[in-house]
């Protein structure tokens, strides 16, 4: 079966075509600056990447180019050869605890959770409509970033705020990166040959979250009502005292939205270093003696380590810790920094194996009390597998 996975942002669209059950990637690409000046797209096939600069007025235009690339690269001869399309959706509220087939009813339900993700969900729904337009009879599936975390208990997801905020307005912890954490839980279970594992999964890319998983069920996760909460990230602050917001509003004259935007876009590694949100630039800064880069890196590693320690407590002792995503898979300095800060858990880094990128590997010594693995995440494969399973059982 040929499955397309789609990840639509407000001005972007990423896609992969995957052959299942072989799990073979056929082609992938991403469209950027949709609706803006300088729009373009990249296509990757057989390890080669080609960039095309084209005007993209809206997501429909992007989908038309995507279709053209599928034909031109002989991935398909007819659209009927696409057996299903899996769409990533950021927020499913508390309505969706697993991936579902797209129906009119589901689209209505998605509209009803728009308030919770006003920036993210609408372009994703636009993408579903754009694909429905060119392939009205192809089954489509939606896969939610929040769904995996719906297995959390109320003691973990309820904030200690007026209870009516929860019952009336849906204020609670939802958690994000669920598709990645679920992929890690599945991969760790396969790797270690156990399905009862207590796992601390650390997805540390430009967004970052830590998740405590017990036998496939989420016990707790660091992102919250929105993806702003939890550990420090590339441009996001992670947890801060909310009283900072009215204080900075008074001092700067900014609106509440502007200050929250600062917490989302101008904080984290970028805010502390003043250099970049990208850990490669931070590492260069450290090599050149930039003290704020050193500070940014140290705070980042401590924040992640502190969540690991907290979740080790919540799990009553983890069996395994997994590092994944951009930094987890590629930055040996970040891995070493995090592990140094969880030495109190008896975790011991094996420095002789830590210098690598993008592969599955154990990075702790044999006598480390908890083994730590690097496992590259694959959210697209997870979306494709869900789509494959749902349409196969239709
Ligand atoms: P997202 O999918 O959320 O955009 P990724 O998981 O791809 O993010 O992570 C991107 C981040 O990973 C980059 O901003 C950078 O900080 C980090 N990263 C990627 N490659 C490397 C590398 N070779 N060394 C250090 N950090 C890296």
């Amino acid at each position: 079966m040929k499955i397309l996975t789609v990840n639509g942002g407000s001005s972007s669209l990423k896609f992969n075509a995957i052959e299942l059950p072989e799990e073979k990637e056929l082609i992938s690409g991403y469209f950027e600056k949709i609706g803006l000046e300088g729009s373009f797209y990249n296509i990757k096939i057989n390890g080669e990447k080609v960039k095309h600069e084209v005007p993209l007025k809206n997501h429909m235009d992007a989908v038309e180019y995507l279709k053209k690339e599928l034909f031109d690269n002989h991935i398909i001869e007819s659209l009927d050869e696409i057996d299903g399309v899996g769409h990533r959706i950021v927020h499913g509220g508390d309505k969706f605890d697993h991936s579902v087939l797209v129906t009119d009813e589901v689209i209505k339900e998605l509209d009803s959770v728009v308030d919770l993700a006003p920036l993210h969900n609408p372009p994703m729904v636009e993408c579903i409509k754009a694909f429905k337009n060119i392939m009205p009879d192809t089954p489509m599936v939606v896969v939610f970033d929040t769904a995996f975390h719906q297995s959390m208990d109320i003691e973990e997801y309820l904030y200690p705020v007026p209870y009516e905020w929860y019952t009336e307005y849906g204020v609670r912890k939802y958690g994000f990166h669920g598709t990645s954490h679920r992929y890690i839980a599945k991969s760790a279970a396969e790797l270690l040959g156990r399905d009862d594992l207590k796992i601390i999964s650390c997805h540390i890319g430009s967004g970052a979250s830590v998740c405590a998983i017990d036998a496939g069920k989420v016990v707790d996760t660091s992102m919250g009502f929105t993806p702003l909460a939890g550990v420090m990230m590339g441009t996001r602050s992670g947890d801060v005292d909310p009283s900072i917001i009215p204080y900075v509003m008074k001092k700067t004259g900014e609106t509440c939205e502007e200050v929250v935007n600062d917490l989302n876009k101008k904080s984290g590694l970028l805010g502390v270093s003043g250099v970049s949100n990208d850990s490669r630039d931070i590492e260069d800064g450290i090599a050149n003696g930039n003290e704020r880069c050193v500070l940014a890196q140290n705070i980042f590693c401590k924040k992640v380590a502190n969540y690991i320690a907290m979740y080790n407590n919540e799990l009553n002792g983890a069996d395994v810790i997994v590092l994944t995503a951009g930094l987890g898979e590629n930055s040996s300095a970040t891995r070493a920094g995090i592990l140094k800060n969880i030495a109190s858990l008896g975790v011991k880094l094996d420095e002789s194996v830590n210098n690598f990128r993008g592969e599955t590997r154990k990075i702790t010594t044999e006598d480390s009390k908890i083994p730590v693995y690097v496992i590259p995440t694959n959210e697209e494969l997870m979306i494709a597998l869900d789509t494959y399973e749902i349409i196969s059982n239709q």
Side-chain angles (χ1 to χ4, degrees), residues 10 29 88 224 333 383:
S10 55
R88 171 184 175 235
I383 294 171

Side-chain angles (χ1 to χ4, degrees), residues 31-33 36-41 51-57 61-62 65:
F31 294 81
E32 292 213 15
K33 300 198 172 181
L36 303 168
E37 283 286 306
S39 52
F40 67 93
Y41 69 92
K51 183 174 175 178
H52 303 264
E53 289 177 20
V54 291
L56 300 166
K57 284 193 307 298
D61 283 356
Y65 278 108

Side-chain angles (χ1 to χ4, degrees), residues 191-192 200 202 308 318-324 328 335-336 338-340 342 345-350 353-354 356 360-366 368-375:
L191 187 67
L192 301 176
I200 300 176
C202 308
I308 295 176
D319 296 312
V320 61
I321 297 167
V322 181
L323 306 180
T324 193
R335 293 194 289 255
I338 293 169
L339 265 57
K340 188 179 98 187
I342 48 172
L345 304 182
V347 170
K348 290 187 195 161
L349 174 69
D350 182 348
V353 298
N354 187 32
F356 69 99
T360 296
R361 197 185 275 196
K362 182 169 144 185
I363 57 166
T364 40
T365 56
E366 284 310 310
S368 175
K369 210 161 158 214
I370 310 171
V372 179
Y373 283 82
V374 172
I375 302 179

Side-chain angles (χ1 to χ4, degrees), residues 312-334:
N312 188 57
N313 185 49
E314 282 198 55
L315 287 170
N316 201 13
D319 296 312
V320 61
I321 297 167
V322 181
L323 306 180
T324 193
L327 283 100
E329 293 166 26
N330 298 304
S331 170
S332 36
T334 305

Side-chain angles (χ1 to χ4, degrees), residues 203-207 277-280 283 325-327 330-331 357:
H203 177 111
I204 40 179
S206 53
N277 64 322
D278 191 308
S279 74
R280 284 164 287 204
E283 287 175 23
L327 283 100
N330 298 304
S331 170
R357 291 181 52 196

Side-chain angles (χ1 to χ4, degrees), residues 52 97 100 157 175 178 184 190 201 209 268 316 339-340 367 394:
H52 303 264
D97 62 3
V100 292
Y157 71 69
I184 294 302
E190 282 166 9
S201 167
S209 69
N316 201 13
L339 265 57
K340 188 179 98 187
D367 64 340
Q394 235 181 292

